[in-house]
Amino acid sequence: MSAGAATGQPALRVGIVGFGWMGQVHARALSRLLQHYPDAPLAPRLVAVADNAPDDRTKRAADAYGFEHLLSDWRELVTHDEIDLVCVTGPNFIHRDVAVAAAEAGKHLWVEKPAGRNAGETAEIVAAVEAAGVQAATGFNYRNVPAVDRAREIVASGRIGSVEHTVVRFLADYSADPDAALSWRFQNEFSGSGVLGDLVSHAADLVQHVVAPIDELVVDRATFIPQRRAALPGAMHYEKGAGDLGDVENEDYVNALFRLTDGSRGILESSRTAVGEQNTYGFEVHGTHGAVQWDFRRMNELRVTSVDPAAGQDYLNSFYTTEYAGPGDGELSRFQPGTNNPIGFDDLKVVEARRLVESIATGTPVGATIHDALATAKVLDAMIESSNERKWVSL
């Protein structure tokens, strides 16, 4: 019996291209959708996985999630008559081709960031989506954190006054080991960029989602580990290399100054080789009357301070307090019944799935879309231009 038949909602038939960690995150999110959102307008049904080299591990995973078909050619999947939604979760170099073909076949899309390898490829996906009239979500999952929802509301409400400056940092250590393999992530033909596409895409999206669009910027980039040994077949970027030394073609580290359309300033820093930094992702927004801070490692908390001059409060004696996300913030009540009952990374993807399903059912985009991916891709391209030419670049 299909999911739709069992629940009464029409079925949304799903295919996933690329079944590594993120492909399985998508599968879990779609499988859990009705558990958290029993009122969802569509019921996901996991139909097919396409992976170019399905090994026993992939086959076991596909069976565990209940997929009906395991394919080795994504082209067969995107044209499959029994698929309505295609999740694009493979390496960056397949995103444009898979997404465009799926849209042209009339399929809805859930594309992991950074969508295309550059703004040109992402624009091609946007054009295909618009021509086909399908819905397309992008995997900017940090938007879906309930505390981030509250931070956005705090900024918009004026509680911290007019924004003066923002600091956003996305620091990780997943490539800190110089003996880690030279995987596709380090080669521009396959990845398009380094830490820019991987982490800065999230950071730039958060700035623009919480505060305002980025207007102009100046950037410095660095590659700290210039060579790595070739990867064994199927190896991940954090596993040891074993072959000949090859050049790392993209950046390990980025720092940027930026100006936003609201006139405020900002700093962005990101690294994939920062020893001791595991998912150190977060932001600080400073305004004329206060500030709000969020750290992914304490995902369900905000640090907030604000001053009310009209009430005679003293700027020099203001201090931060911790506010905990509760059932009234974002989508937390769909996962936990009370304040400071934390949610996790996979839950953010369930929220993302819910918003995509609503978009498909109503025809009106909800949540982060492929257009948001294009806005971020333009920021990344501007960062590359600024770094290469050593100048401020306007968007």
Side-chain angles (χ1 to χ4, degrees):
M1 181 179 292
S2 72
T7 64
Q9 291 103 322
L12 178 68
R13 301 166 301 178
V14 178
I16 298 179
V17 177
F19 208 52
W21 172 67
M22 185 53 70
Q24 293 184 43
V25 170
H26 278 225
R28 287 195 294 273
L30 291 159
S31 297
R32 293 172 53 200
L33 178 68
L34 294 182
Q35 297 171 16
H36 299 281
Y37 296 94
D39 56 346
L42 301 170
R45 172 183 147 204
L46 304 181
V47 173
V49 165
D51 196 285
N52 67 334
D55 56 16
D56 288 342
R57 182 171 54 182
T58 306
K59 293 174 184 175
R60 287 195 299 270
D63 287 342
Y65 287 103
F67 281 94
E68 300 166 25
H69 307 286
L70 177 59
L71 310 171
S72 59
D73 187 344
W74 62 261
R75 294 168 187 82
E76 184 180 352
L77 184 145
V78 300
T79 57
H80 200 292
D81 289 340
E82 294 185 34
I83 289 177
D84 308 305
L85 168 67
V86 174
C87 298
V88 185
T89 59
N92 296 356
F93 61 90
I94 72 167
H95 286 192
R96 185 267 312 273
D97 291 350
V98 175
V100 168
E104 289 176 344
K107 315 299 186 186
H108 302 288
L109 294 170
W110 187 0
V111 186
E112 273 307 312
K113 57 84 216 166
R117 287 171 289 187
N118 50 53
E121 286 194 351
T122 307
E124 291 181 46
I125 301 173
V126 170
V129 165
E130 291 180 342
V134 297
Q135 296 297 316
T138 300
F140 289 134
N141 43 275
Y142 300 106
R143 281 188 177 204
N144 304 327
V145 175
V148 171
D149 276 320
R150 184 190 288 187
R152 188 172 188 241
E153 291 171 1
I154 287 171
V155 171
S157 72
R159 178 176 166 188
I160 64 170
S162 299
V163 175
E164 293 181 334
H165 64 98
T166 299
V167 178
V168 58
R169 291 190 176 90
F170 267 58
L171 304 177
D173 65 349
Y174 64 78
S175 297
D177 184 351
D179 293 326
L182 186 71
S183 72
W184 64 266
R185 290 180 179 274
F186 302 104
Q187 298 173 305
N188 284 333
E189 176 186 357
F190 303 112
S191 63
S193 62
V195 75
L196 277 169
D198 195 23
L199 298 183
V200 177
S201 56
H202 279 304
D205 179 70
L206 273 181
V207 169
Q208 300 191 117
H209 180 65
V210 173
V211 186
I214 294 172
D215 188 40
E216 54 184 342
L217 48 78
V218 64
V219 174
D220 183 37
R221 295 185 293 164
T223 303
F224 297 132
I225 303 174
Q227 290 191 313
R228 295 178 181 273
R229 294 197 177 278
L232 294 171
M236 297 296 290
H237 55 275
Y238 49 79
E239 296 176 323
K240 299 291 187 182
D244 295 335
L245 283 172
D247 292 335
V248 173
E249 298 175 352
N250 48 45
E251 69 287 334
D252 293 324
Y253 173 82
V254 171
N255 64 62
L257 301 176
F258 54 85
R259 298 170 181 149
L260 302 181
T261 56
D262 64 356
S264 66
R265 276 23 181 201
I267 298 171
L268 183 152
E269 183 181 36
S270 187
S271 176
R272 63 187 180 189
T273 59
V275 176
E277 304 286 0
Q278 296 92 26
N279 301 314
T280 306
Y281 308 154
F283 58 78
E284 307 167 7
V285 183
H286 295 267
T288 52
H289 298 156
V292 58
Q293 301 179 353
W294 175 75
D295 184 334
F296 175 65
R297 296 166 299 178
R298 304 179 73 88
M299 180 167 51
N300 298 279
E301 301 177 13
L302 285 180
R303 297 184 69 234
V304 184
T305 183
S306 60
V307 175
D308 183 357
Q313 294 180 352
D314 187 351
Y315 284 92
L316 301 183
N317 289 312
S318 63
F319 54 89
Y320 282 97
T321 59
T322 299
E323 298 183 5
Y324 299 99
D329 296 310
E331 300 290 307
L332 190 139
S333 63
R334 295 289 188 161
F335 300 89
Q336 298 294 352
T339 298
N340 206 24
N341 276 17
I343 66 172
F345 181 93
D346 276 22
D347 298 326
L348 305 181
K349 287 301 197 183
V350 179
V351 176
E352 209 163 89
R354 171 63 178 89
R355 291 173 177 172
L356 173 57
V357 166
E358 183 179 344
S359 301
I360 293 169
T362 64
T364 301
V366 180
T369 69
I370 192 63
H371 293 85
D372 295 306
L374 180 56
T376 297
K378 289 177 179 178
V379 172
L380 301 190
D381 279 10
M383 288 182 167
I384 293 171
E385 180 184 351
S386 172
S387 175
N388 288 346
E389 300 187 15
R390 300 186 174 217
K391 67 177 186 180
W392 281 87
V393 173
S394 297
L395 276 85

